[in-house]
Amino acid sequence: MKKITVTDMQAMKDEGRKISMLTAYDCYIARILDACSIEIILVGDSVGNVVLGLDNTLPVTVADMVHHVKAVVRGSTQALVVADMPFMSYQICPEEAKRNAGILIKEGGAEAVKVEGGENAEEVIKALSDIDIPVMGHIGLTPQSIHRMGGYKVQGREEHQRQKLLADAVAVERAGAFSIVLEAVPAGLAQEITRSLKIPTIGIGAGVHCDGQVLVINDLLGLAGKFRPKFVKQYVQLEDIIKQAVKQFMDEVQTEKFPADEHSF
Ligand code: KIV
């Protein structure tokens, strides 16, 4: 089984092969994704929303990320493991960004980090790339900018926003990122960015023309509650299946059907 690296991602774009990326936050799910030969596992700061019960990603810390990255790395043998840099772990200055990215790589075992931002993140992406920490960019709807954006909204519909996102994408590539996430941007704009960049684009709510696609694993599995953005495709409804199993267990405890003889000593 060949280990997937950042250079494979570039080769996939060059050869027109699509990249699949999913999030994972624990060892068990990571093992399943890895067994499916997924190319990239992202330990997203979405861990805040879908695992830690937070309202947004802002409170997630480097320590939270290291905890989850370690678990995911234990479950991955093949996939490229990318760790999100949480809010305020890279915004203060490039030195702080290097220190925190170093922790995610050295302690967590991640092989690359993801940073939100375009032109405003150029200096940080360059600083990390210059010390050989591979960086995935992330533009469009950047959840760490929720307060500036006034909520989770599609970005790039207005002409001035479109121009800004094109400039952001170029800045991320120029700074040395190996790939870039495009979140919640019109499909036509994502296609234009994908054509104009050499590095692979990975879309979430950005149409079919990106070089790859990413989803949050809980959204795909139906384990994310009622809120479902338009771009999410739910492939299975695990919440209902889990509830059914739990109810059956409780019922069997009441009726002494469980444990049966085969579960007893
Ligand atoms: O944190 C996350 O899960 C992400 C993906 C949605 C790209 O950033």
Side-chain angles (χ1 to χ4, degrees):
M1 231 177 352
K2 185 184 164 302
K3 180 82 187 114
I4 296 166
T5 69
V6 292
T7 58
D8 295 315
M9 297 305 98
Q10 189 60 53
M12 285 184 77
K13 171 157 184 154
D14 297 344
E15 292 160 16
R17 286 184 289 136
K18 297 275 186 176
I19 298 166
S20 298
M21 173 161 103
L22 285 170
T23 66
Y25 315 100
D26 63 59
C27 178
Y28 198 85
I29 293 286
R31 258 190 215 137
I32 294 173
L33 301 187
D34 202 67
C36 293
S37 300
I38 193 116
E39 281 93 21
I40 308 179
I41 299 179
L42 171 67
V43 190
D45 58 355
S46 50
V47 67
N49 308 66
V50 298
V51 177
L52 303 178
L54 300 168
D55 287 338
N56 56 52
T57 58
L58 301 185
V60 175
T61 64
V62 172
D64 291 333
M65 291 305 300
V66 168
H67 182 72
H68 290 277
V69 171
K70 276 183 175 171
V72 167
V73 166
R74 282 183 210 119
S76 321
T77 55
Q78 202 184 354
L80 175 70
V81 178
V82 179
D84 247 336
M85 293 202 65
F87 181 56
M88 294 313 285
S89 69
Y90 59 95
Q91 285 89 345
I92 294 169
C93 65
E95 292 314 304
E96 195 110 339
K98 285 195 250 186
R99 195 169 306 118
N100 287 320
I103 292 172
L104 292 168
I105 304 276
K106 266 174 85 93
E107 276 183 44
E111 293 146 335
V113 297
K114 180 164 78 58
V115 164
E116 294 183 9
E119 290 175 310
N120 59 340
E122 191 171 349
E123 198 187 352
V124 160
I125 296 173
K126 184 166 178 349
L128 297 178
S129 303
D130 282 351
I131 57 167
D132 291 338
I133 295 182
V135 181
M136 176 178 279
H138 183 160
I139 64 168
L141 192 172
T142 44
Q144 292 176 17
S145 319
I146 181 174
H147 296 315
R148 172 181 56 78
M149 294 182 307
Y152 298 122
K153 296 175 183 166
V154 175
Q155 304 293 303
R157 280 196 168 130
E158 312 282 333
E159 182 53 26
H160 71 277
Q161 280 187 338
R162 205 184 74 84
Q163 293 299 337
K164 174 70 179 122
L165 283 177
L166 283 165
D168 281 341
V170 169
V172 167
E173 177 168 273
R174 185 172 54 223
F178 76 92
S179 62
I180 182 169
V181 169
L182 308 179
E183 179 163 353
V185 300
L189 174 57
Q191 182 174 26
E192 195 177 342
I193 293 173
T194 301
R195 280 199 189 126
S196 64
L197 296 187
K198 288 195 187 70
I199 59 171
T201 60
I202 301 179
I204 174 162
V208 77
H209 299 292
C210 297
D211 298 305
Q213 298 293 331
V214 54
L215 280 179
V216 168
I217 189 73
N218 293 60
D219 289 337
L220 175 147
L221 296 178
L223 281 177
K226 285 199 169 55
F227 175 69
R228 196 183 328 155
K230 180 179 174 185
F231 57 72
V232 165
K233 180 165 177 185
Q234 194 180 85
Y235 286 79
V236 62
Q237 215 335 325
L238 280 193
E239 186 170 330
D240 289 348
I241 295 171
I242 292 172
K243 279 182 181 157
Q244 213 181 336
V246 170
K247 280 188 182 143
Q248 194 176 341
F249 165 74
M250 291 170 71
D251 187 54
E252 291 190 3
V253 169
Q254 286 302 323
T255 56
E256 295 187 354
K257 256 189 170 173
F258 177 82
D261 283 348
E262 70 259 37
H263 308 118
S264 307
F265 302 98

